[in-house]
């Protein structure tokens, strides 16, 4: 390999913290896949672990580890780039470190509760202590409060560091406003509401406006930094395009929220608003593809960090196909009336999270891994990252395909023909076109796991040869005198 | 109210067409952009092919008669937007790069 | 207030465009400043519109407002009828028949539904079921569960119940004993009080006007 080496610049404390963020994120990713695999197997064999950990338990852990590891990865990305952007150590890094270990401990306790307590009596205390029981926001209230504290300290780090550096760049401006919105929106998920319509109305403020608005912008910021530091795209271009993306994401995504208000008891004007604005939601995603490829293509994809550039491009496409195409597929009210709440939603969810967020975090992980070694390896490359990426992409495409087929079947049999009853539901999931896809799903789940194991191996070893090379050179030069 | 069989037929037809309708502009965008980045004319032409197919699918969708006149118009507007999107955004990216940078960027 | 989505859409886009022009006055449309203006304009415009619409939605989403039933709906017969103008089914509330053999006052009904909603969350029902179409897709949608014909035709004789509410309560208290289909529901150790409240919550939810979701409820093969 014709890699060149150079001694890496000293890491900031904030970047050392970011390393912990990524380590925990990747570990949680493994847990997410494991629980997903168990849940997939339970669809094939519903008696598996039925008494100990039924589907609901594994599904809770599957979606919660997903949300946590992606958020941890994104926040880690900010801790990584922030000192580079501001040219100084992050202010309040001590508090950031303390809250980080509090969060890690909290996540462990929560996982224990999910696994071994599982649910509680029908009283308010359960919602505070064990289980809030709203999909994605299952975490009890004490965890919510810990998360708010975490986001608050993070926000303080970002704002204080920006102010201390006396240079508010466009990127930092977007980041700060986005984090304020992200934190404020989470508070909408911290109410108990007896009225299930209002409950879901506010629930989507967190779930949709996180995933389809504020997280997308956070990814936009991290992509912008990566394009700048990875590919050397000029700041002015990156910022201008980021503004355009944010204008489009918020311009379409905020009222696109309406597509969750079709059927929950909210007024009919949401049908038109949601249908129209969510049909435009792919627009910012196309914009991201154009930008990423425009700049990556300019360098003929031969950058300093091959896996990172690969995941950057994969992110752009994956976000667009998963979130954009698979979302738009079922977004028109006429179709959505039938397909809402079927396996098609799961197909969209799997591909969108993979494309938009998993790819981003993996890209950031490779950026960080390159810099974390004592000696930089340029370009960063290995045989294994290609296998990991290929297997994981193959796996997710298979899983999405299986979900899509079972989703079509369920929509037709349960909803269009069967009248959506209990009997129709059973008729749908026992139909061969549905039942057979469960096996594929499980198979592709294993492919994901294998991809993941290779990924972990690669992350631990990639770029290490550079260290060895440098040591050898050092020995040689020490013997030969002059450099 | 239409009967169950006709309803199932409608959902099947519309869902399949919308699935294809969503996929085609996706392929169009992907191949068009790849064609531009890699300077491959055939990739770009393939992209245009998918774009044209998308228009065909929308016309097919309208011909089924399942869409109310209002949604027919919405679909037409969306199709126009989708047809214009990749080249327009590409041109915009190019223009913004030229406007905001001094160094040479790819064409 | 009558709100038409097309007017809102056009207004939203128009305001965002005008605001962009104002905020980035004098800047060329490819410039950094122009797009910063566009970003601020679209964020402010869309957020404001969302807040205004949410305000009106909240008015219409109050129990007893028309779309959402009052808590006392649990005392009544509930059904669905075809609305030819809206082209979907709407819930209809019939005569007062009582619930578990008694008529609940508004306060009692609210307390019962509230208990049911808390139980629903505490038992993490949404992690298998969907309600109003949202949840985990592993088990049936519960939006109209109260109206499911299976309670009458299948579960009632199976658990030996007199009424639909009793059948639901008895089934929910030990689902693995009466498996339906190949997927079983675990025994979530519901107390009688919790199960009763859960049934009340499900019955109340069945009377929400959901713009016709789930479509053509319980018009099954058999009725074709």
């Amino acid at each position: 390999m014709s890699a060149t080496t150079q001694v890496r610049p000293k890491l900031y404390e904030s970047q050392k913290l970011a390393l912990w963020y990524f380590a925990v994120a990747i570990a949680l990713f493994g847990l997410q896949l494991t629980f997903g695999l168990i849940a997939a197997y339970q669809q094939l064999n519903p008696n598996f672990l039925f008494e100990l950990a039924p589907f609901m338990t594994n599904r809770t852990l599957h979606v919660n580890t997903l949300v946590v590891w992606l958020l941890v990865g994104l926040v880690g990305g900010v801790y990584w780039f922030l000192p580079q952007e501001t040219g100084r150590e992050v202010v309040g890094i001590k508090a950031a470190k303390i809250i980080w270990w509090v969060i890690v401990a909290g996540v462990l306790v929560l996982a224990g509760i999910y696994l071994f307590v599982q649910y509680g009596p029908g009283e308010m205390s359960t919602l505070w202590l064990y289980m809030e029981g709203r999909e994605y926001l299952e975490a009890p209230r004490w965890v919510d409060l810990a998360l708010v504290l975490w986001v608050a300290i993070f926000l303080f780090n970002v704002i204080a560091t920006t102010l201390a550096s006396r240079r508010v760049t466009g990127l930092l401006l977007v980041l700060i406003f986005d984090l304020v919105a992200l934190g404020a929106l989470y508070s909408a998920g911290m109410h108990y509401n007896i009225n299930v319509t209002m409950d879901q109305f506010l629930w989507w403020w967190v779930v949709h406006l996180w995933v389809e608005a504020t997280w997308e912008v956070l990814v936009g910021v991290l992509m912008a930094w990566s394009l700048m530091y990875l590919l050397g795209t000029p700041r002015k271009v990156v910022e201008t395009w980021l503004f355009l993306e944010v204008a489009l994401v918020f311009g379409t995504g905020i009222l696109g929220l309406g597509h969750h208000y079709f059927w929950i008891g909210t007024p009919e004007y949401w049908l038109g608003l949601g249908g129209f604005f969510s049909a435009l939601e792919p627009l910012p995603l196309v914009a991201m593809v154009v930008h990423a490829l425009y700049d990556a293509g300019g360098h003929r994809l031969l950058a300093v960090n091959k896996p990172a550039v690969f995941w950057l491009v994969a992110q752009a496409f994956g976000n667009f196909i998963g979130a954009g195409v698979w979302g738009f597929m079922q977004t028109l009210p006429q179709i959505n009336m039938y397909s809402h709440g079927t396996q098609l939603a799961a197909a969209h969810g799997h591909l969108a999270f993979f494309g938009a967020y998993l790819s981003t975090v993996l890209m950031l992980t490779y950026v960080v891994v390159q810099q974390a070694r004592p000696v930089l390896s340029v370009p960063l490359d290995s045989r294994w990252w290609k296998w990991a990426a290929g297997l994981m992409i193959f796996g997710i495409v298979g899983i999405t395909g299986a979900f899509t087929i079972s989703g079509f079947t369920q929509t037709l049999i349960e909803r269009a023909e069967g009248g959506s009853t209990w009997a129709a539901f059973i008729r749908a999931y026992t139909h061969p076109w549905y039942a057979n896809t469960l096996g594929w799903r499980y198979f592709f789940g294993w492919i994901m796991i294998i991809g993941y194991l290779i990924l972990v191996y690669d992350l631990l070893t990639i770029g290490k040869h550079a260290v060895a090379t440098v040591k050898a050179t050092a020995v040689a030069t020490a013997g030969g005198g002059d450099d | 109210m239409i009967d169950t069989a006709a309803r199932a037929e409608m959902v099947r037809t519309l869902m399949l067409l919308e699935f294809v309708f969503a996929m085609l502009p996706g392929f169009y965008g992907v191949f068009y952009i790849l064609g531009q980045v890699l300077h491959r004319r055939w990739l770009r032409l393939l992209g245009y092919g998918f774009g044209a197919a998308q228009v065909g699918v929308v016309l097919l969708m309208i011909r089924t008669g399942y869409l109310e006149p209002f949604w027919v118009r919405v679909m037409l507007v969306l199709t126009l937007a989708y047809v214009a999107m990749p080249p327009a955004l590409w041109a915009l990216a190019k223009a913004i790069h030229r406007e905001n940078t001094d160094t040479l960027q790819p064409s | 207030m009558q709100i038409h989505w097309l007017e809102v859409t056009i207004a939203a886009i128009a305001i965002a465009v005008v605001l962009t022009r104002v905020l980035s006055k004098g800047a060329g449309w490819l410039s950094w400043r122009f797009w910063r203006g566009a970003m601020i304009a679209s964020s402010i415009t869309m957020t404001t519109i969302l807040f205004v619409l949410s305000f009106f939605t909240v008015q219409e989403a109050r129990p007893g407002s028309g779309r959402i039933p009052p808590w006392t709906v649990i005392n009544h017969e509930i059904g669905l009828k075809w609305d030819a103008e809206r082209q979907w089914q709407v819930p209809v509330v019939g005569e007062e028949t009582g619930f578990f053999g008694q008529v609940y006052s508004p306060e009692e009904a609210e307390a019962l539904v509230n208990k049911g909603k808390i139980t629903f969350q505490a038992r993490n029902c949404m992690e298998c079921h969907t309600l109003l179409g949202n949840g985990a897709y592993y088990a049936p949608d519960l939006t109209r569960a109260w109206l499911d014909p299976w309670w009458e035709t299948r579960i009632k004789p199976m658990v030996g119940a007199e009424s639909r509410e009793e059948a639901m309560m008895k089934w929910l208290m030990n689902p693995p004993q009466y498996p339906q289909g190949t997927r079983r529901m675990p025994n979530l150790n519901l107390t009688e009080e919790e199960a009763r409240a859960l049934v009340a919550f499900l019955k109340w939810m069945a009377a929400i006007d959901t713009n016709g979701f789930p479509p053509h409820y319980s018009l099954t093969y058999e009725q074709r």
Side-chain angles (χ1 to χ4, degrees):
Chain A
M1 214 170 279
S2 64
T4 59
T5 53
Q6 54 197 88
V7 176
R8 142 205 104 182
K10 214 166 156 280
L11 289 186
Y12 289 95
E13 283 302 305
S14 158
Q15 292 183 314
K16 287 183 193 158
L17 180 63
L19 292 179
W20 280 110
Y21 268 76
F22 283 101
V24 170
I26 296 296
L28 286 173
F29 177 30
L31 282 182
Q32 188 224 337
L33 291 178
T34 310
F35 289 113
L37 193 73
I38 297 173
Y41 184 66
Q42 283 177 326
Q43 309 229 355
L44 281 171
N45 176 9
N47 295 326
F48 181 66
L49 292 181
F50 180 72
E51 301 291 338
L52 278 176
F55 179 83
M56 59 183 253
T57 299
N58 295 305
R59 170 79 167 38
T60 306
L61 280 148
H62 180 58
V63 297
N64 275 259
T65 43
L66 164 84
V67 174
V68 173
W69 89 260
L70 292 176
L71 193 59
V72 163
L74 296 177
V75 171
V78 175
Y79 275 127
W80 181 266
F81 281 118
L82 194 57
Q84 251 175 312
E85 177 77 3
T86 53
R88 57 161 298 144
E89 184 59 78
V90 166
V91 179
I93 189 69
K94 212 165 204 168
K97 282 180 180 169
I98 292 170
I99 190 69
W100 166 243
W101 292 109
V102 172
I103 288 292
V104 170
V107 166
L108 287 177
V109 173
L110 183 62
I113 289 176
Y114 283 160
L115 262 179
F116 301 112
V117 182
Q118 298 184 0
Y119 55 81
E123 278 151 27
M124 280 309 276
S125 59
T126 302
L127 273 47
W128 277 90
L129 296 176
Y130 313 120
M131 169 58 65
E132 204 175 314
R134 300 157 87 203
E135 196 194 8
Y136 300 111
L137 309 180
E138 292 90 346
R141 202 61 48 81
W142 66 266
V143 178
D144 293 342
L145 295 176
L147 277 174
V148 167
L149 191 63
W150 178 38
V151 172
I153 290 178
F154 178 48
L155 194 59
F156 168 77
N157 290 149
V158 174
I159 295 176
T161 313
T162 306
L163 291 178
S165 77
R166 297 172 183 282
R167 195 171 73 108
V168 186
T169 63
L171 273 160
L172 288 168
L173 193 76
V174 173
L175 177 69
I176 289 170
F177 277 107
D178 190 56
L179 289 176
V180 169
L182 196 141
L185 284 167
Y186 193 73
S187 67
M190 289 169 53
H191 304 282
Y192 168 75
N193 206 322
I194 167 173
N195 179 352
V196 69
T197 297
M198 278 315 295
D199 179 333
Q200 294 204 353
F201 185 82
L202 288 173
W203 177 64
W204 283 119
W205 276 47
V206 189
V207 179
H208 172 98
L209 291 180
W210 263 30
V211 173
E212 286 172 68
T214 46
W215 278 34
E216 286 280 0
V217 170
L218 191 52
V219 164
V221 171
L222 291 164
M223 292 280 279
W225 269 331
S226 307
L227 285 172
M228 232 164 70
Y229 294 120
L230 217 56
L231 302 174
T233 312
R235 170 181 293 277
K236 224 174 155 196
V237 174
V238 163
E239 287 191 349
T240 308
W241 199 264
L242 177 68
F243 294 156
L244 178 143
E245 280 171 7
V246 177
L248 290 175
V249 167
F250 284 160
T252 60
I254 291 181
L255 290 182
L257 177 60
H259 63 231
H260 297 295
Y261 296 164
F262 291 170
W263 323 115
I264 65 166
T266 36
E268 280 162 58
Y269 47 81
W270 289 109
L271 289 169
L273 276 173
F276 182 81
F277 279 99
S278 48
L280 293 178
E281 272 186 55
L283 197 72
L285 308 179
V286 181
M288 286 191 190
V289 183
V290 167
H291 190 212
L293 272 141
Y294 192 93
D295 288 300
H299 297 250
R300 288 270 176 271
L301 303 174
L302 282 176
V304 291
N305 187 329
K306 287 190 177 181
V309 173
F310 173 84
W311 281 110
L312 188 141
V313 174
Q315 193 280 341
F317 279 123
N319 197 2
F320 168 50
I321 302 283
V325 173
W326 247 256
F328 174 58
M329 203 167 87
Q330 48 188 318
T331 210
L332 290 183
Q334 297 97 314
I335 300 295
N336 193 266
M337 183 178 212
Y338 295 92
S339 68
H340 175 52
T342 66
Q343 303 283 307
L344 270 183
H348 164 54
H350 278 81
L351 196 56
F353 268 109
F354 186 95
Y357 299 116
L358 178 139
S359 308
T360 306
V361 175
L362 289 190
M363 174 200 69
L364 294 169
T365 311
Y366 274 108
V367 170
V368 167
V369 158
Q370 184 177 34
Q371 309 267 327
R373 307 257 183 264
V375 175
L376 284 180
S377 168
V378 183
L380 188 72
D381 199 4
S382 76
R383 174 159 33 125
W384 292 112
W385 74 260
K386 292 171 196 149
W387 277 97
L391 284 171
M392 287 203 288
I393 289 172
F394 181 55
I396 201 70
V397 167
I399 289 171
T400 306
F403 270 119
T404 306
I405 293 171
S406 56
F408 266 91
T409 312
Q410 190 186 358
T411 305
L412 284 174
I413 292 182
E414 185 202 335
R415 295 289 165 74
E417 290 184 348
S420 314
T421 55
W422 197 351
F425 183 82
I426 293 175
R427 211 184 284 259
Y429 79 67
T430 49
H431 188 279
W433 280 51
Y434 188 127
N436 289 338
T437 62
L438 299 175
W440 309 351
R441 233 188 258 176
Y442 181 58
F443 168 77
F444 285 111
W446 275 109
I447 300 275
M448 285 289 282
I449 297 266
I450 296 169
Y452 170 78
L453 292 175
I454 297 177
L455 173 83
V456 172
Y457 173 78
D458 188 50
L459 286 174
L460 292 174
T461 54
I462 193 169
K464 277 249 167 96
H465 66 274
V467 182
T469 319
V470 164
K471 275 189 186 145
T473 332
V475 171
T477 44
D482 187 318
D483 188 298
Chain B
M1 185 165 71
I2 53 176
D3 69 42
T4 309
R7 187 166 67 232
E9 177 66 31
M10 177 194 85
V11 173
R12 177 163 50 234
T13 313
L14 266 186
M15 198 162 54
L16 276 173
L17 284 175
E18 206 200 332
F19 179 67
V20 179
F21 174 73
M23 293 291 285
L24 288 173
F27 286 141
Y28 166 39
V30 166
F31 284 109
Y32 174 84
I33 294 163
L34 277 179
Q36 290 284 14
V37 171
L38 304 171
H39 301 285
R40 294 282 184 280
R41 211 167 78 97
W42 67 271
L43 276 174
R44 224 171 53 222
L45 288 176
L46 194 64
Y48 287 133
F50 284 118
Q54 175 210 349
V55 178
V57 168
V58 152
L59 294 179
L60 212 66
M61 215 162 166
I62 292 168
R63 267 200 55 183
T64 60
Y66 291 135
L67 292 181
E68 294 157 39
F70 174 74
W71 283 101
V72 168
R73 265 170 278 165
V74 170
M75 291 306 284
L76 286 175
V77 170
L78 284 178
T79 310
L80 279 181
Y82 282 6
V83 164
M85 213 187 276
L89 281 171
W90 184 263
L92 191 61
K94 217 159 123 177
I96 282 184
H97 275 79
R98 201 176 302 134
E99 172 89 7
N100 293 292
T101 183
D102 310 320
T103 52
L104 211 60
Q105 287 290 318
S107 58
Chain C
M1 194 176 107
Q2 199 65 27
I3 297 172
H4 297 286
W5 79 266
L6 198 59
E7 281 86 332
V8 176
T9 303
I10 294 169
I13 295 171
I15 293 170
V17 169
V18 170
L19 204 55
T20 303
R21 299 295 308 167
V22 173
L23 284 176
S24 45
K25 211 160 156 198
W29 75 284
L30 293 173
S31 66
W32 187 90
R33 264 195 58 216
F34 176 88
W35 288 102
R36 191 186 59 178
M39 169 180 78
I40 296 169
S42 97
S43 309
I44 291 178
T45 310
M46 298 305 170
T47 310
T48 310
I49 291 177
L50 177 66
F51 275 112
V52 172
L53 288 177
S54 297
F55 175 79
F56 289 111
T57 299
V58 169
Q59 309 299 316
E60 288 197 55
R62 289 217 172 104
S65 66
R67 300 190 63 90
I68 312 295
W71 310 117
T72 48
V73 80
I74 60 169
N75 294 321
H76 290 258
E77 187 88 28
I78 294 171
L80 294 168
K81 74 161 198 279
W82 184 256
D83 185 327
E85 195 196 332
R86 294 167 79 193
Q87 284 289 302
W88 57 52
Q89 290 169 314
V90 288
V92 276
V93 178
E95 58 183 287
E96 193 175 87
T97 51
F99 186 64
F100 282 101
Q102 86 176 79
V103 173
Y104 286 77
S105 73
E107 293 75 31
E108 290 169 338
E110 177 170 0
L112 194 66
V113 174
N114 187 36
K115 176 84 179 168
K117 175 70 176 7
I118 296 176
T119 304
F120 192 92
Q121 289 184 224
R123 292 302 198 280
N124 205 8
C125 304
M126 216 175 166
E127 214 61 58
C128 287
H129 291 280
T130 51
L131 66 161
L132 305 173
N134 296 311
Y137 328 113
Y138 184 70
D141 186 80
L142 298 180
T143 311
R144 299 286 187 240
W146 168 261
L147 298 170
D148 200 300
W150 264 25
W151 298 118
E152 295 287 343
T153 59
R154 195 169 159 124
I155 308 294
K156 221 157 105 177
M158 198 180 261
V159 301
E162 299 286 316
S163 63
R164 189 188 313 183
E165 46 265 47
E166 200 194 332
M168 287 174 85
M169 188 182 85
K170 281 193 166 164
W171 190 85
L172 282 170
M173 287 176 71
N174 194 359
Q177 198 184 334
Y178 316 102
Q180 310 291 318
T182 50
R183 295 179 185 175
R184 286 182 302 160
M185 176 170 156
N187 187 343
L188 297 171
N189 301 311
L190 291 166
T191 64
E192 194 174 315
E193 188 202 0
E194 286 171 335
R196 192 187 297 258
L198 208 46
V199 176
F201 169 69
L202 291 174
K203 184 172 182 183
W204 170 79
M205 183 163 63
I208 294 178
D209 183 342
T210 55
N211 291 340
F213 179 86
H216 313 281
Y217 189 75
S218 96
L219 298 168
T220 55
Y221 284 92
E222 289 72 29
Q223 284 161 285
R224 184 152 71 184

